[in-house]
Amino acid sequence: MATPAKAKRKPRAEPIVSDWSWHKLRTKIHAGCFLIFVVAPFFDVMRFDIPRQRFYFVGHELWISEFGIIFFSLMFLMFLIAAAAMLYGRVYCSYLCPQMIFSEAFMRLETRIFKLVNKKFIGWSKKTRTIVSRAVFYIILWIASVFLAFIFIAYFVEPRDLIGRLLTLDVVTAGGIAGAATTAITFLDFAFVRLKFCRHLCPYGYLQGILSDGTTLLVEYSDKTQECIECKKCVRVCPMEIDIRDGAHQIECIHCAECVDACEDVLNRLGKPGLIAYSWGEQVGMLAERKAPWYYRLGLRDTKRWVVLLVLLFYGSGLMVALSMRNPVLVQVAPQRDELYAITDQGEISNRFRVKIANRGEETSQVIISVHELPGARIANLENPITVETGEVIEQFFEIVAHRLGPSPGVNHFRIVSNSLPDQGTQTFEMTFIMPTKEAQP
């Protein structure tokens, strides 16, 4: 009797070994963002100084009188965020957003405290361990909230001044009240709200939904050959508590790629690639396309994106030019026309002027005022040069005096020139000098 041939077993696939992890990348970026968040106000990278009415941007000190440049700077940042949303979706939320960074950090801290207490004090009752774990976590969270509130308020109040307020437990002035309120809000946020804010309240998710199109970066699940083993690890690791298999356009998805790592971790052990990956739109292809040009892999896949990039570069270049062209020492000169002219005891004619000087630079400056194109004229009642300390604003009145036989009767046009040292800045002001007419002369 013939025995049937044994069915050949399909050879077991070798596991796929990969050292890459989106989670590790996010952790490193989060650490970098935290460091930037802490040190930025101390180096004036970008902050408002509300008491002094200053705006600091990439090392430049902008005064409130320079509202045009301030508005230009803020609009550039808004356009940058909008452009990032169009190209890369909600990657900002998962990689750069402070709410996400600190929420995940405190969630991990809470989990580690619970595990440590349960391991070290196994003899205690479950209720006692829970109370102790929460008490330890809330104490650490309160201390961290004070620190984070201090850093946040330092973006609006000079940090050294803020340290003094903190050491004296100031809760009377506006800065102290703001610090105390921010501490309380930070504690409540990261103790109870956390990622609920991202799921239900954050407006950026809705903005991204408006700006995205068919080639915006997504996290996409694709299983055309039915390889999914229904382990649901992708669901368990999702911080937003969604199932990526339900679609790539879920507004709660923040593109953190935790599900990507989870799927690859499971299927790579079976010798299969993961079913979830970053993709430039559902029909455009995966992020790791090797044959595509470099600009395709960066997301520049159509004319609209190139236009956005060029506008962004043009906008940023214009902002840098505006910042580089601003004078560290701002001089303003205006005539005082409460009286048109005055006749001195020596019979000379004088016109009264006002000069306002603001030193927006980082060192003491001297300003020299001179008169041009007005024959026989001189400056009187003015200390020349004028010394202006850093951050100081000086307003003075002076007279320009001319012999009655010098300028022509009536209105004479001339120039006042200011030269500031050591920055060698020069500003010119077109002015008029009024002489009495022949009929008005005594």
Side-chain angles (χ1 to χ4, degrees):
M1 185 174 178
T3 52
K6 291 184 178 181
K8 292 184 179 180
R9 286 188 177 184
K10 190 175 181 180
R12 184 176 180 180
E14 290 293 327
I16 299 175
V17 180
S18 174
D19 295 332
W20 178 259
S21 169
W22 291 106
H23 177 79
K24 292 180 180 178
L25 176 64
R26 287 180 65 233
T27 302
K28 293 177 182 177
I29 294 177
H30 285 183
C33 289
F34 174 74
L35 183 62
I36 293 172
F37 172 73
V38 171
V39 303
F42 294 91
F43 291 93
D44 295 333
V45 176
M46 188 187 75
R47 72 177 183 90
F48 284 97
D49 192 331
I50 295 178
R52 297 180 62 236
Q53 297 184 345
R54 304 286 191 270
F55 175 63
Y56 295 89
F57 186 71
V58 292
H60 294 272
E61 180 181 325
L62 303 176
W63 293 32
I64 195 66
S65 58
E66 301 176 276
F67 180 77
I69 299 181
I70 296 175
F71 179 78
F72 201 43
S73 303
L74 295 178
M75 289 300 296
F76 172 74
L77 294 175
M78 290 183 60
F79 187 77
L80 182 63
I81 293 174
M86 190 186 75
L87 267 71
Y88 303 111
R90 293 190 70 179
V91 167
Y92 167 81
C93 296
S94 57
Y95 286 84
L96 304 175
C97 176
Q99 177 73 19
M100 171 62 66
I101 293 173
F102 294 125
S103 293
E104 287 193 334
F106 288 123
M107 288 166 63
R108 288 195 296 268
L109 174 64
E110 184 179 28
T111 300
R112 290 180 181 179
I113 291 174
F114 270 76
K115 288 182 178 179
L116 182 62
V117 172
N118 287 327
K119 181 179 179 180
K120 296 293 183 180
F121 305 100
I122 190 67
W124 294 359
S125 66
K126 182 179 179 181
K127 183 177 181 181
T128 302
R129 294 197 303 269
T130 301
I131 293 174
V132 171
S133 299
R134 291 196 178 278
V136 173
F137 172 69
Y138 288 149
I139 291 172
I140 296 176
L141 177 58
W142 181 258
I143 296 173
S145 298
V146 173
F147 174 74
L148 293 177
F150 170 80
I151 297 299
F152 178 78
I153 298 298
Y155 281 87
F156 303 96
V157 178
E158 207 281 325
R160 285 172 288 274
D161 177 36
L162 194 59
I163 290 175
R165 297 171 187 262
L166 181 62
L167 294 178
T168 57
L169 300 178
D170 173 24
V171 291
V172 178
T173 63
I177 295 173
T182 304
T183 300
I185 293 172
T186 302
F187 177 82
L188 295 174
D189 181 13
F190 297 124
F192 306 107
V193 181
R194 299 176 182 172
L195 299 182
K196 296 183 182 69
F197 177 85
C198 305
R199 283 195 294 267
H200 305 297
L201 299 175
C202 180
Y204 188 74
Y206 298 96
L207 174 67
Q208 189 274 331
I210 296 173
L211 295 176
S212 64
D213 56 20
T215 56
T216 298
L217 187 67
L218 300 170
V219 173
E220 182 188 13
Y221 166 78
S222 178
D223 187 16
K224 298 179 181 179
T225 57
Q226 303 297 313
E227 299 287 347
C228 180
I229 62 174
E230 296 293 334
C231 68
K232 295 188 178 180
K233 187 176 181 180
C234 59
V235 179
R236 294 196 302 272
V237 301
C238 179
M240 304 303 288
E241 301 178 356
I242 64 172
D243 189 342
I244 192 62
R245 298 175 299 175
D246 292 339
H249 294 282
Q250 299 176 70
I251 195 170
E252 298 87 356
C253 181
I254 57 172
H255 302 169
C256 65
E258 292 292 327
C259 56
V260 177
D261 287 343
C263 188
E264 289 186 348
D265 180 55
V266 173
L267 290 184
N268 284 176
R269 299 177 188 179
L270 304 177
K272 301 176 182 179
L275 304 175
I276 309 172
Y278 279 118
S279 173
W280 297 109
E282 291 185 277
Q283 306 299 327
V284 177
M286 296 299 176
L287 182 66
E289 297 173 282
R290 299 300 180 188
K291 296 182 180 180
W294 63 269
Y295 51 86
Y296 259 56
R297 295 198 297 272
L298 291 178
L300 302 173
R301 293 176 168 264
D302 53 30
T303 304
K304 179 170 69 174
R305 280 158 173 74
W306 279 105
V307 170
V308 169
L309 177 62
L310 292 176
V311 171
L312 197 61
L313 291 175
F314 178 78
Y315 208 141
S317 300
L319 179 59
M320 291 299 105
V321 170
L323 290 172
S324 64
M325 292 180 62
R326 61 186 292 270
N327 292 316
V329 179
L330 178 65
V331 180
Q332 297 174 311
V333 179
Q336 294 298 108
R337 295 305 187 195
D338 47 346
E339 60 176 358
L340 297 180
Y341 60 87
I343 302 176
T344 68
D345 294 339
Q346 291 76 26
E348 296 176 310
I349 308 302
S350 70
N351 282 202
R352 188 174 172 83
F353 292 83
R354 176 177 59 88
V355 60
K356 184 177 182 180
I357 305 173
N359 187 354
R360 305 176 299 191
E362 299 178 353
E363 55 186 346
T364 302
S365 182
Q366 289 188 324
V367 178
I368 302 172
I369 306 295
S370 57
V371 178
H372 298 261
E373 300 177 8
L374 190 63
R378 58 184 174 84
I379 297 176
N381 300 325
L382 179 68
E383 181 184 350
N384 206 5
I386 305 170
T387 301
V388 189
E389 301 293 336
T390 300
E392 185 180 14
V393 179
I394 291 179
E395 185 173 356
Q396 294 185 7
F397 294 90
F398 65 96
E399 285 82 31
I400 295 180
V401 181
H403 194 275
R404 64 171 60 244
L405 299 179
S408 303
V411 178
N412 295 266
H413 295 274
F414 72 106
R415 292 183 297 115
I416 295 178
V417 178
S418 69
N419 294 281
S420 56
L421 300 173
D423 65 288
Q424 303 294 332
T426 300
Q427 299 177 59
T428 302
F429 308 92
E430 299 290 338
M431 293 290 162
T432 56
F433 187 88
I434 299 178
M435 292 282 291
T437 60
K438 292 181 180 181
E439 293 78 9
Q441 292 182 9

